Amino acid sequence: MLDDTTGDAATAVAAPDEPLGVIGVGMTAFTRGTSRSPIESLVVAADRALSDASIEPADLDSIHVGTMAPEAFAGRTGLANAVAGQFGVTDCSAHRVENTSASGASAILDAVDAIRAGRADVALVIGGELMSPADTATATDIVSGVVHDAEYAQGVTLPGFGGLAADRYLRVHDADRRALARVAVKNHANAAHNPYAQFQTPITVEDVLDSPPVADPLRLYDCCPISDGAAAAVLASEADGVQVAACANALGTHAVADRDDPLEIRSVREAGATAYEAAGFGPDAVDVACIHDAFTILEWLEMEELGLADTGEAWRLTADGATDIDGDLPINPGGGLKARGHPLGATGVAQLVELVWQLRGDPPTESEDADARTVDGADRGLAVNVAGFGNNSVCTLLEGAP
């Protein structure tokens, strides 16, 4: 054993006893090489969410900023206080939330808890990361540092874990490698209609399979990019509109080597199960999902842990088109981490933003075919944001307006 844990997941859940609405959302375009500073990026996203909610900064009771490593990437700290200063608010609490790549959703959970505890009626959540100021080698090392110390010392990286999991899944479930490539193809197709996405050019299965190898069998187009950007949401007690049905966090083993099955991500399963119980509905009621697809294989593993597919069957749903935006269970309609981009602290909030757009039926698009960007008739959505290779996960369930 590398950890002192038993492998059992610990969970915490926020299930609003009274209506808790997401009254405004907004984000910046995700890109690589933004001209904005970390503070400017957060403020732009927040301004857009406040405008969407039709409220002013003075109406806020709390500000929750999710970000992983601004000190390492961009040489900046104190982001929550700086954002509050930019808005000129002092009659308000503000702090930063850090949970590696699940920092964004953890900030959402923090805001939900603040409202439920009576510390806030209106809360602003902002997630952001500017990764491009660091060169590729430095950025890769920062991200790789989230793995267990013993595994990191052996040179094991997150892409390495992804490659090992993909190889095992394909062999154990006799899955089609071309179907795994279709995860990337689907998410790029969705991103092509999303004006906020980092990659808006469709790709083919052959493009994926011919791209440079990263961690066999994963190739470059199976992996999310280095990204800059921010996303924001305004939550309010007893508000109409899209509702937060539940938000749950689960902690699993830090060391992947301690897991009974390398294809299991217990924190995802436990966070999902806890959220379903609190919300009063299960996976069969989910109409659209935003899955943490840092690597294509994670889309399948997380779908299965969340009960959105039977074990070993997620690949068939992808191959059959069921996870396409016009399929029975659309997955990552905004492009996911793979194509929308993955500014670490922004991702969990961006997932919430995308679900709110879909549940309201108004996702922004520059496409002449609005239907290509919209999940038809979506009433309930799920987002899962994962830290590391599943040592910590946050699952959020949303419902459309009654």
Side-chain angles (χ1 to χ4, degrees):
M1 294 283 287
L2 299 181
D3 281 341
D4 293 328
T5 62
T6 63
D8 292 332
T11 59
V13 63
D17 298 320
E18 297 178 350
L20 196 169
V22 185
I23 63 173
V25 294
M27 60 185 292
T28 69
F30 285 6
T31 185
R32 181 170 184 176
T34 180
S35 61
R36 297 189 180 111
S37 71
I39 300 299
E40 289 169 337
S41 184
L42 294 171
V43 168
V44 168
D47 271 333
R48 291 172 180 175
L50 292 168
S51 177
D52 189 45
S54 298
I55 66 170
E56 299 296 326
D59 297 318
L60 298 172
D61 299 307
S62 62
I63 299 172
H64 311 256
V65 176
T67 183
M68 174 179 155
E71 301 89 349
F73 285 119
R76 182 61 201 251
T77 190
L79 298 182
N81 295 332
V83 168
Q86 289 289 312
F87 284 132
V89 295
T90 54
D91 189 18
C92 175
S93 69
H95 62 272
R96 169 183 167 186
V97 179
E98 189 278 316
N99 186 15
T100 70
S101 49
S103 296
S106 297
I108 293 167
L109 177 59
D110 195 56
V112 171
D113 281 342
I115 292 173
R116 287 189 65 228
R119 297 193 303 273
D121 287 320
V122 182
L124 171 66
V125 182
I126 324 169
E129 210 81 53
L130 263 62
M131 302 172 68
S132 65
D135 59 51
T136 299
T138 300
T140 300
D141 193 57
I142 293 168
V143 175
S144 295
V146 307
V147 304
H148 191 281
D149 287 347
E151 292 171 329
Y152 182 73
Q154 297 299 320
V156 181
T157 64
L158 292 178
F161 283 133
L164 291 168
D167 177 70
R168 183 174 177 84
Y169 187 100
L170 293 173
R171 288 188 291 106
V172 169
H173 299 304
D174 194 25
D176 186 349
R177 177 62 181 90
R178 294 179 67 85
L180 185 60
R182 276 207 80 238
V183 172
V185 172
K186 167 185 65 71
N187 291 345
H188 275 258
N190 292 342
H193 300 285
N194 181 1
Y196 292 93
Q198 184 168 348
F199 298 126
Q200 298 180 26
T201 302
I203 60 174
T204 66
V205 168
E206 285 68 30
D207 290 331
V208 178
L209 299 179
D210 292 341
S211 63
V214 173
D216 191 62
L218 298 183
R219 307 187 81 84
L220 182 64
Y221 283 3
D222 287 294
C223 307
C224 67
I226 290 172
S227 309
D228 301 331
V234 180
L235 279 58
S237 61
E238 301 186 37
D240 295 330
V242 175
Q243 301 291 301
V244 178
C247 188
N249 168 247
L251 179 65
T253 59
H254 189 184
V256 175
D258 281 345
R259 299 174 190 175
D260 295 334
D261 184 341
L263 296 183
E264 289 185 354
I265 308 179
R266 184 174 298 190
S267 65
V268 171
R269 180 170 73 250
E270 294 293 338
T274 305
Y276 290 142
E277 182 177 3
F281 62 84
D284 291 344
V286 173
D287 300 308
V288 57
C290 289
I291 301 294
H292 190 101
D293 60 323
F295 311 105
T296 50
I297 187 62
L298 286 178
E299 183 164 306
W300 290 352
L301 298 182
E302 292 164 26
M303 286 173 61
E304 294 177 10
E305 295 289 19
L306 292 163
L308 301 174
D310 293 334
T311 300
E313 294 297 315
W315 76 270
R316 298 185 191 278
L317 296 183
T318 299
D320 294 343
T323 60
D324 292 352
I325 200 163
D326 59 353
D328 292 337
L329 180 60
I331 302 291
N332 288 327
L337 286 64
K338 175 63 203 73
R340 182 189 56 239
H342 184 30
L344 297 165
T347 287
V349 185
Q351 291 176 323
L352 185 79
V353 170
E354 178 65 28
L355 288 181
V356 169
W357 282 336
Q358 293 294 346
L359 296 180
R360 295 194 315 202
D362 63 355
T365 181
E366 295 174 356
S367 171
E368 295 180 359
D369 181 8
D371 291 341
R373 177 77 176 93
T374 307
V375 176
D376 185 43
D379 293 319
R380 286 171 170 156
L382 175 153
V384 65
N385 191 197
V386 178
F389 204 75
N391 52 286
N392 194 315
S393 298
V394 181
C395 182
T396 305
L397 298 175
L398 299 182
E399 292 187 279

